[in-house]
Amino acid sequence: MTTPIPPARRPAWFIAGTDTGVGKTFVTCALLHALRQRGLRAVGMKPVASGTDVAGDNEDVSALADASNVDAPRALRNPYCFRAAIAPHIAAADEGVSVELPRIVDAFGELRALADATLVEGVGGFLVPLGDEIDAAQLAVALDLPVILVVGMRLGCINHALLSYEAITGRGLPVVGWVANRIDPDMPRVEENLATLARLLPAPLLGVVEHGVTPACAGAGLRLPD
Ligand SMILES: Nc1ncnc2c1ncn2[C@@H]1O[C@H](COP(=O)(O)OP(=O)(O)OP(=O)(O)O)[C@@H](O)[C@H]1O
Ligand SMILES: C[C@H](N)[C@H](N)CCCCCC(=O)O
Ligand SMILES: [Mg+2]
């Protein structure tokens, strides 16, 4: 009979991206499958989401739920969800809602206790505002998680990756790995761009997610941080 790992010591990572639309959700789903393929109960969390359909569903939240093998209440998986698919601090103000970090931290603590591993997807890029006084970086710091950086492989990604790395480590959080996500299958000289990122980013490359693969297939090709 193995002794269960206390929730506070179960693996959990914050998934940051070089921008909005670079594949944080796509890669988080792949990483969830990678965890599941190792026999773990894995759950994804989207603390703050913006953009819902007529049923009130958000595509990121739904995708993370589909890739998870842990049932958990939406309130824990997605504490804040705003209707307009715009910058979340603007969407929150439109709805008269103030994003409170303690509410997210509490939800994360309860969610973490339901799984062996938890992945928390940020919103947009690392410094996206969540209100007048808070941003996604402060959320990552409040959760105090190691960070996996998703680099959307398209022209301009080198600068965005290095800026994101500086922003993340500048808040005292480690970047424990990065994933190259082929959002632009036609990116010219992609191999040289990957080599440049591998040389300049002081973090291990966890893998390259090709364009159009399924999350399960992508997960099979990803390392997990040590
Ligand atoms: N490797 C890939 N192959 C094919 N499509 C991809 C890949 N990565 C991302 N996409 C698609 O690109 C779009 C943006 O990806 P995704 O939603 O994961 O980005 P994101 O960084 O999570 O965005 P947001 O900031 O809105 O959360 C989605 O339609 C997604 O399905
Ligand atoms: C709506 C979109 N899918 C994201 N969830 C929100 C992206 C916010 C980007 C804010 C900014 O950096 O300008
Ligand atoms: Mg997303």
Side-chain angles (χ1 to χ4, degrees), residues 18-112:
T18 46
D19 196 355
T20 183
V22 296
K24 293 187 300 295
T25 302
F26 201 91
V27 170
T28 302
C29 290
L31 288 166
L32 286 166
H33 279 278
L35 290 161
R36 292 171 55 176
Q37 288 158 10
R38 287 160 175 78
L40 297 172
R41 295 173 303 135
V43 68
M45 182 184 190
K46 179 79 175 181
V48 179
S50 57
T52 58
D53 61 19
V54 291
D57 294 327
N58 168 269
E59 61 184 11
D60 287 10
V61 174
S62 300
L64 296 181
D66 290 346
S68 303
N69 61 350
V70 171
D71 284 332
R74 169 104 185 243
L76 299 184
R77 295 182 289 107
N78 175 224
Y80 292 97
C81 191
F82 302 112
R83 289 185 294 273
I86 58 176
H89 71 293
I90 299 172
D94 285 355
E95 299 182 27
V97 174
S98 174
V99 174
E100 305 293 339
L101 293 184
R103 175 173 155 189
I104 297 174
V105 172
D106 290 347
F108 169 70
E110 289 188 55
L111 188 65
R112 192 177 195 175

Side-chain angles (χ1 to χ4, degrees), residues 58-200:
N58 168 269
E59 61 184 11
D60 287 10
V61 174
S62 300
L64 296 181
D66 290 346
S68 303
N69 61 350
V70 171
D71 284 332
R74 169 104 185 243
L76 299 184
R77 295 182 289 107
N78 175 224
Y80 292 97
C81 191
F82 302 112
R83 289 185 294 273
I86 58 176
H89 71 293
I90 299 172
D94 285 355
E95 299 182 27
V97 174
S98 174
V99 174
E100 305 293 339
L101 293 184
R103 175 173 155 189
I104 297 174
V105 172
D106 290 347
F108 169 70
E110 289 188 55
L111 188 65
R112 192 177 195 175
L114 301 177
D116 297 319
T118 306
L119 298 179
V120 181
E121 180 191 347
V123 50
F126 188 64
L127 294 181
V128 163
L130 300 177
D132 289 344
E133 304 298 328
I134 64 171
D135 62 17
Q138 287 170 277
L139 168 58
V141 171
L143 295 172
D144 193 23
L145 294 177
V147 178
I148 294 173
L149 178 62
V150 176
V151 179
M153 296 304 295
R154 61 188 180 201
L155 187 59
C157 67
I158 296 171
N159 173 54
H160 287 168
L162 297 175
L163 286 172
S164 299
Y165 180 88
E166 285 198 8
I168 296 164
T169 54
R171 298 297 179 99
L173 296 176
V175 177
V176 293
W178 66 281
V179 176
N181 183 45
R182 296 294 313 274
I183 52 170
D184 175 4
D186 301 319
M187 179 184 189
R189 313 297 291 271
V190 65
E191 291 307 325
E192 287 103 312
N193 280 271
L194 285 168
T196 302
L197 286 163
R199 178 166 55 85
L200 296 180

